[in-house]
Amino acid sequence: MSLQASLNKRPKHDGRLSMEFQYRGNKTVLSNCYQNPPLRASRPLYINPANRSEATVYLVETSGGIVEGDHNVFDIDIKEGADVCLIPQSATKIYPSYNGIWSSQDMDITIGPKASLSFKTEAVIPFEQARFNSKTVIQMTSDSTFLWGDILSPGRVARGEVFEYTDVRTNFQVWMDDECLIYDPLLISKDNMGLKKMGMLEDHLFIGSMWFVTPTIEEFDIRELNERLQESPHSKASASMLEGKAVNVRWLASDLVDLKKEMNRIWDEFANYIV
Amino acid sequence: MNNQREGSKNHSNIEATNTNPWLLHLIQIHDTAFPTGSFAHSFGMETYIQESDISNEDDLKAFCDMYLRQNLASTDAIIAQEAYRLAKENDLQGLIRLENICHAIKLSPETRKGSMMMGRQFLQTVQPLNNSELFTIWCEKLKNKEIKSHYPVVYGIYTAMLGVDLRTSLETFLYSSITSLVQNGVRAIPLGQNSGVQTIFSLLPVIQETTSRVMTLDLEHLDNNSIGLEIASMKHEFLHSRLFIS
């Protein structure tokens, strides 16, 4: 059997993690959980000192990364009044696709009335020759809360691997009832680059995105946040208010550690704002 | 002389006029005097001008080249094309869904608002000129605040209703977007009028090339890769002095 044929025969993983959260008594409980390897979830922890009823769950990928043809599905349903914090255990690593097959990830999240989801910032790291397609759809109500951070890395920068992946497509959507509030597709291919041009990524390597939607967001001082973002020597960033319903913060940066530090600081500010 | 004689014998010129009754009207809606309000929008370019990243004709050309190939070709031109196709199929629900996406994909509030302002002004100006059923319904939907009326969607519908062919619709959409931007750049940098004329002339082949590429794409190819421009547009809201709304 040739090497190529044996590669094509690799059993692909169809990971699935379905979780349902409910507010019962005086805390949020993980009322239903289905796990199919390599996706797993930790037990809910109650570690947020500002909100003891909030369930914190670590998302675990036991295989260490997504390999050619793998397909992971997250299905998260947060019922009325429940507060959830999800923390990815590590960056999502996308391994090379030597057989050209795309790997993919679908995340469907529903946030019920007066419920909240805070999703901690982590990076997606596509290795050389990786092909990755991800779609994240958040369905929320006008009185629910959503905080999310993510980073798209150009590859394993420490070993000089920068934009060596073949294709990365991401599609991030937030729907408030029937209204599409945020529709953010990125489509970066090795051959469609031009990424260094003015208006594109310019001289930066990492794209950071943060979204914050909460009913009282209109009172948030977006000008002050924007002024602070301009002071960072490590990145180019800006914040804006969308429709008086959502805050969008975007970063372009060249250093992952500095970017993560800054994003975590802003994430904590938003998290405190909810409380 | 021979050519003139040939031309006078050839009736195809007259036929061309007859088969393109929309041609003069298409020129009319792209005249700078046509009130779409495009003179008031830089869609983030003014931030680059204020930060001295665009200070001469070459910078302006480079910016507009990026704007065509990486921004318009990945968002508004695909949306205008989709609106044109849906309008031809009389698919009202599809158009409403498309408008939703067009609104949500613009992640800078000023760009979002600019696209709506231009769309509304365009719609209100051309409304008395077109009585096709779909266009009338679209106007009604704006009146009832059921749609936002983004410019690429309105433009796609209107040109489809006029009977303009898709390639011409896209080429003129890209052309008018880029001429407005260049003229605004000429005013803001500032540059001489000849620089503006030369910049637009140098971008004409890019407009044709981009049109051909967009015609091979669909909504699956939408992307927000021009993150630098998005950040510039977000920052524009907080600039101390501004010539443009966006």
Side-chain angles (χ1 to χ4, degrees):
Chain A
M1 185 185 291
S2 70
L3 175 65
Q4 191 60 43
S6 68
L7 284 171
N8 288 340
K9 272 193 169 283
R10 188 188 75 81
K12 67 189 187 81
H13 291 132
D14 284 318
R16 175 174 279 275
L17 179 60
S18 299
M19 293 190 287
E20 182 195 79
F21 294 91
Q22 287 187 15
Y23 186 73
R24 280 191 197 153
N26 55 2
K27 67 175 182 180
T28 296
V29 297
L30 179 56
S31 46
N32 223 325
C33 183
Y34 172 81
Q35 313 174 75
N36 193 41
L39 299 184
R40 294 189 65 83
S42 74
R43 290 173 56 188
L45 306 167
Y46 298 91
I47 53 176
N48 183 355
N51 182 2
R52 288 287 177 197
S53 70
E54 179 186 82
T56 297
V57 172
Y58 283 83
L59 305 177
V60 183
E61 223 267 13
T62 55
S63 73
I66 301 179
V67 188
E68 49 198 20
D70 286 355
H71 178 55
N72 284 344
V73 175
F74 294 85
D75 192 358
I76 296 155
D77 188 5
I78 303 170
K79 300 288 187 192
E80 183 168 0
D83 295 318
V84 177
C85 177
L86 297 178
I87 305 179
Q89 175 209 27
S90 65
T92 304
K93 292 172 279 293
I94 319 296
Y95 285 97
S97 174
Y98 295 122
N99 59 9
I101 298 176
W102 291 70
S103 48
S104 56
Q105 175 175 290
D106 284 324
M107 203 173 258
D108 280 304
I109 299 174
T110 306
I111 310 172
K114 294 186 170 60
S116 73
L117 169 66
S118 307
F119 196 100
K120 271 273 191 191
T121 308
E122 250 315 339
V124 171
I125 305 177
F127 293 6
E128 58 170 341
Q129 286 192 56
R131 306 193 87 179
F132 181 57
N133 194 351
S134 94
K135 189 172 180 185
T136 304
V137 181
I138 320 293
Q139 180 69 55
M140 61 188 297
T141 59
S142 58
D143 56 357
S144 57
T145 290
F146 171 64
L147 170 57
W148 176 285
D150 66 47
I151 296 170
L152 179 59
S153 158
R156 291 170 292 180
V157 176
R159 53 190 291 166
E161 192 181 87
V162 173
F163 297 115
E164 292 295 322
Y165 54 75
T166 309
D167 294 286
V168 169
R169 285 166 170 242
T170 63
N171 187 318
F172 183 87
Q173 303 175 24
V174 178
W175 292 77
M176 185 177 277
D177 301 319
D178 293 331
E179 179 191 10
C180 187
L181 205 56
I182 295 159
Y183 191 91
D184 186 30
L186 293 177
L187 208 163
I188 302 178
S189 303
K190 202 171 179 185
D191 35 336
N192 88 350
M193 290 301 174
L195 292 176
K196 280 187 168 291
K197 286 184 189 173
M198 185 198 318
M200 302 294 286
L201 308 194
E202 300 165 359
D203 291 326
H204 303 94
L205 301 175
F206 298 89
I207 302 169
S209 308
M210 192 166 289
W211 314 99
F212 182 38
V213 189
T214 197
T216 58
I217 195 70
E218 211 159 2
E219 295 153 26
F220 189 85
D221 191 346
I222 198 75
R223 178 177 287 273
E224 189 274 331
L225 172 60
N226 196 66
E227 278 168 12
R228 263 189 296 134
L229 286 169
Q230 303 315 312
E231 289 164 13
S232 169
H234 310 295
S235 59
K236 179 171 187 172
S238 194
S240 63
M241 179 79 70
L242 290 168
E243 316 283 315
K245 293 175 183 169
V247 167
N248 164 25
V249 192
R250 281 273 215 213
W251 284 265
L252 286 175
S254 297
D255 186 286
L256 181 59
V257 176
D258 288 330
L259 174 63
K260 249 186 133 174
K261 217 180 280 177
E262 175 148 324
M263 287 184 73
N264 285 341
R265 193 167 49 77
I266 305 291
W267 195 95
D268 289 342
E269 271 182 45
F270 286 144
N272 288 333
Y273 186 85
I274 302 170
V275 182
Chain B
M1 195 67 183
N2 281 343
N3 286 346
Q4 280 180 3
R5 209 174 296 137
E6 279 288 306
S8 65
K9 284 178 186 168
N10 191 345
H11 294 279
S12 64
N13 287 346
I14 299 164
E15 281 166 23
T17 308
N18 289 340
T19 52
N20 293 338
W22 37 260
L23 181 64
L24 290 178
H25 181 48
L26 205 57
I27 293 170
Q28 181 193 11
I29 64 175
H30 292 299
D31 191 284
T32 46
F34 200 78
T36 56
S38 61
F39 64 87
H41 298 282
S42 84
F43 297 110
M45 180 178 67
E46 189 174 19
T47 307
Y48 283 106
I49 293 172
Q50 286 206 12
E51 291 176 353
S52 302
D53 290 318
I54 302 176
S55 60
N56 56 42
E57 189 183 319
D58 287 342
D59 295 340
L60 183 63
K61 269 184 202 163
F63 180 84
C64 291
D65 186 276
M66 175 285 301
Y67 192 71
L68 264 169
R69 293 177 198 268
Q70 262 90 19
N71 186 281
L72 291 173
S74 307
T75 49
D76 281 2
I78 294 179
I79 289 167
Q81 172 173 251
E82 192 66 13
Y84 178 100
R85 285 182 177 150
L86 290 166
K88 286 279 185 196
E89 291 161 12
N90 211 23
D91 185 348
L92 188 61
Q93 285 313 310
L95 283 167
I96 290 170
R97 182 180 170 273
L98 180 69
E99 240 243 344
N100 229 329
I101 292 173
C102 181
H103 187 69
I105 202 171
K106 296 178 185 305
L107 295 170
S108 153
E110 287 192 345
T111 299
R112 195 177 268 199
K113 200 174 155 193
S115 170
M116 281 193 287
M117 286 170 77
M118 281 179 60
R120 284 172 194 193
Q121 276 181 260
F122 181 79
L123 188 62
Q124 280 157 8
T125 311
V126 296
Q127 183 186 3
L129 314 178
N130 190 296
N131 57 4
S132 66
E133 194 187 345
L134 181 65
F135 203 68
T136 308
I137 293 172
W138 203 248
C139 295
E140 277 299 310
K141 291 219 167 280
L142 175 64
K143 213 179 283 175
N144 299 334
K145 296 184 177 166
E146 292 170 51
I147 56 159
K148 316 275 188 190
S149 190
H150 280 276
Y151 182 64
V153 180
V154 179
Y155 189 84
I157 298 174
Y158 190 65
T159 48
M161 293 299 99
L162 283 181
V164 176
D165 62 279
L166 178 60
R167 173 173 283 277
T168 307
S169 168
L170 287 177
E171 272 184 353
T172 49
F173 176 80
L174 292 172
Y175 175 80
S176 66
S177 303
I178 225 64
T179 48
S180 307
L181 203 62
V182 169
Q183 280 161 8
N184 293 344
V186 164
R187 275 194 294 146
I189 294 173
L191 294 172
Q193 283 301 330
N194 280 347
S195 293
V197 170
Q198 283 157 23
T199 301
I200 292 169
F201 186 75
S202 73
L203 290 166
L204 295 180
V206 185
I207 289 172
Q208 288 177 312
E209 196 184 307
T210 305
T211 301
S212 299
R213 188 159 66 84
V214 170
M215 287 177 79
T216 66
L217 306 178
D218 58 31
L219 290 182
E220 288 295 304
H221 297 93
L222 288 173
D223 80 55
N224 265 345
N225 290 0
S226 44
I227 308 276
L229 182 62
E230 182 189 313
I231 291 176
S233 179
M234 287 157 75
K235 281 164 75 172
H236 185 265
E237 192 179 343
F238 304 106
L239 293 180
H240 291 298
S241 65
R242 298 182 299 164
L243 199 57
F244 302 103
I245 297 171
S246 70

